[in-house]
Amino acid sequence: MAQVSLRHISKVYGGNIKAVSDVTLGIENKEFVVLVGPSGCGKSTTLRMIAGLEEISEGEIYIGDKLVNDVPAKDRDIAMVFQNYALYPHMTVYENMAFGLRLRKYSKAEIDQRVKEAAQMLGIARYLTRRPKELSGGERQRVAVGRAIVRKPLVFLFDEPLSNLDAKMRVQMRTEINKLHTRLQSTMIYVTHDQVEAMTMGNRIVVMKDGIVHQVADPISLYDKPVNKFVAGFIGSPPMNFLMGRIVKTDGKLSFDEGTFRVKLVDDMIPKVASYEGKEVTFGIRPEDIYDKLFVQEAPPENTVTARVDVVEPMGSEVYLHMATPKHTFIARVGGHDKPEVNRDIDMVFDMSKIHFFDKDTEKAIV
């Protein structure tokens, strides 16, 4: 079994610089887990500690039932795919894929079978006699993945493998790696800074910032129930809008007062924020939960906000509207047919059943 267990692991550089702080995480056999976060959050360092390429300052790492803290990388039965492919330029594709097996003294027949099987799986069988310089970026990445597949390791580790590819190729390779996981039924741990990659690939996602794990959940739970403002703003594209204001009571009903507009809370939300009456909070709403009033059949006036259109970004099937009130700016993601004039005031309807509130000081979600 290829479970991976991280138990209170930390990485400290130069005396007092904590790159990873007290991370505890269990990864199940055959699971696809994605570590995501901004640059410098500790996700690649965590992956490298699992791989044995970074020494652990504190804690324990188990692969299966085996404690691997002091086990060399070559003996951990893992395979790693790097951002820069790490192919030998003087070797052919076949030789690159076979190299690790030769070091481990596999027979020629076994090497040939594994290399050709992996090449067929990845659609690179016709490139086996070429050298890396004769391949495109996507083809080189397939070779790097193939080199990992032939090893048949307990765990696959991917360190931002798609970041050097163009946007179209990233989408294609994303799909290929997902198919590969389904076919191989292996444990995979994948690092990326791209939250779209994380959402579309992982069974579970580990969101990190400043060396700390902020939330571990499946993609939909992360999107619908972020535990704090950082996770809420990091997951989703375009990101969640945040507005500062107060919880106030008007005619016996609680509302959010931004200062230039006021929107009424739905009944389900009232018990969650009742203790914040009169206090400042952060109001969060995703761009896709804001609609142009012209295209809403029933637009409650208590949920309608007048704002100025600053920028219109047509994206084809949808349009991003950059809006402004006297106090805040926000983005609405509307249908492709909706293209209002710039520098004009329009009415926007907030879907108040999908809003989020965060404590002003702790930035934790108010639930």
Side-chain angles (χ1 to χ4, degrees):
M1 302 291 280
Q3 297 107 327
V4 178
S5 178
L6 314 183
R7 303 181 185 179
H8 303 287
I9 67 165
S10 297
K11 179 63 181 179
V12 181
Y13 291 108
N16 225 9
I17 302 170
K18 253 194 175 175
V20 176
S21 181
D22 195 27
V23 170
T24 294
L25 177 66
I27 298 164
E28 295 301 321
N29 185 43
K30 302 180 182 179
E31 192 174 18
F32 195 137
V33 168
V34 180
L35 309 183
V36 68
S39 296
C41 72
K43 56 190 184 295
S44 287
T45 303
T46 301
L47 194 77
R48 290 172 65 83
M49 285 193 285
I50 297 170
L53 302 176
E54 289 278 0
E55 190 177 335
I56 303 165
S57 301
E58 298 172 23
E60 298 174 333
I61 295 181
Y62 288 82
I63 297 178
D65 297 325
K66 184 179 181 181
L67 178 65
V68 297
N69 285 36
D70 299 319
V71 176
K74 65 184 179 64
D75 297 326
R76 293 195 181 191
D77 203 3
I78 55 93
M80 192 157 178
V81 180
F82 297 92
Q83 177 180 347
N84 62 358
Y85 319 135
L87 301 176
Y88 295 107
H90 63 289
M91 292 184 182
T92 64
V93 168
Y94 185 101
E95 290 166 341
N96 266 284
M97 292 173 66
F99 185 72
L101 298 180
R102 284 180 177 149
L103 287 180
R104 288 166 176 79
K105 308 296 184 184
Y106 281 83
S107 70
K108 285 186 178 181
E110 177 77 1
I111 291 171
D112 192 64
Q113 179 191 338
R114 289 197 184 195
V115 168
K116 288 180 177 176
E117 187 181 89
Q120 195 67 39
M121 193 186 301
L122 292 164
I124 55 173
R126 64 186 183 276
Y127 304 136
L128 287 175
T129 58
R130 296 187 188 181
R131 286 183 166 76
K133 68 180 180 181
E134 301 172 76
L135 305 177
S136 69
E139 290 160 354
R140 290 178 199 173
Q141 192 56 272
R142 280 186 170 86
V143 176
V145 173
R147 185 179 53 192
I149 288 173
V150 298
R151 295 264 313 281
K152 298 184 179 179
L154 283 175
V155 183
F156 286 90
L157 307 178
F158 295 86
D159 190 7
E160 304 214 37
L162 310 185
S163 57
N164 288 337
L165 303 179
D166 62 53
K168 184 177 180 182
M169 184 55 69
R170 279 203 304 273
V171 173
Q172 186 178 337
M173 283 300 300
R174 199 163 78 200
T175 304
E176 291 301 322
I177 293 173
N178 271 329
K179 287 180 182 177
L180 202 61
H181 178 250
T182 301
R183 182 167 178 176
L184 297 176
Q185 289 293 291
S186 298
T187 305
M188 294 186 174
I189 307 173
Y190 188 103
V191 159
T192 181
H193 64 271
D194 184 336
Q195 57 92 15
V196 175
E197 261 180 45
M199 292 288 283
T200 54
M201 297 180 78
N203 303 134
R204 281 192 303 153
I205 301 172
V206 181
V207 184
M208 297 184 70
K209 181 188 178 189
D210 298 332
I212 297 169
V213 171
H214 282 246
Q215 189 170 359
V216 182
D218 64 272
I220 299 305
S221 296
L222 275 184
Y223 179 85
D224 287 339
K225 299 175 181 178
V227 297
N228 58 33
K229 184 180 174 184
F230 167 71
V231 175
F234 193 81
I235 298 297
S237 181
M240 184 181 288
N241 299 292
F242 296 113
L243 313 175
M244 292 299 300
R246 291 182 181 276
I247 302 296
V248 298
K249 183 173 280 188
T250 308
D251 299 328
K253 295 286 186 180
L254 288 182
S255 300
F256 171 74
D257 191 332
E258 180 256 11
T260 61
F261 70 80
R262 185 177 291 181
V263 284
K264 192 171 79 172
L265 304 190
V266 295
D267 291 343
D268 287 350
M269 183 61 67
I270 290 172
K272 301 176 184 178
V273 298
S275 63
Y276 283 81
E277 184 182 339
K279 298 178 183 177
E280 273 196 303
V281 294
T282 301
F283 172 100
I285 186 167
R286 295 198 181 277
E288 52 270 35
D289 297 328
I290 304 173
Y291 320 114
D292 186 337
K293 184 180 177 183
L294 286 176
F295 299 91
V296 178
Q297 287 185 343
E298 295 182 13
E302 65 269 21
N303 294 352
T304 303
V305 174
T306 301
R308 186 186 69 249
V309 181
D310 278 347
V311 177
V312 176
E313 291 184 320
M315 305 294 289
S317 62
E318 57 191 16
V319 175
Y320 298 166
L321 303 182
H322 294 254
M323 313 293 298
T325 70
K327 290 188 69 175
H328 291 100
T329 60
F330 61 89
I331 299 175
R333 191 168 84 181
V334 297
H337 51 272
D338 192 354
K339 296 171 187 172
E341 295 178 16
V342 175
N343 294 326
R344 170 180 161 226
D345 283 352
I346 63 171
D347 290 331
M348 304 300 294
V349 179
F350 284 18
D351 185 342
M352 296 300 289
S353 67
K354 296 181 179 177
I355 60 170
H356 302 260
F357 283 110
F358 304 92
D359 186 282
K360 177 190 171 187
D361 299 317
T362 66
E363 297 192 347
K364 291 181 178 179
I366 299 171
V367 294

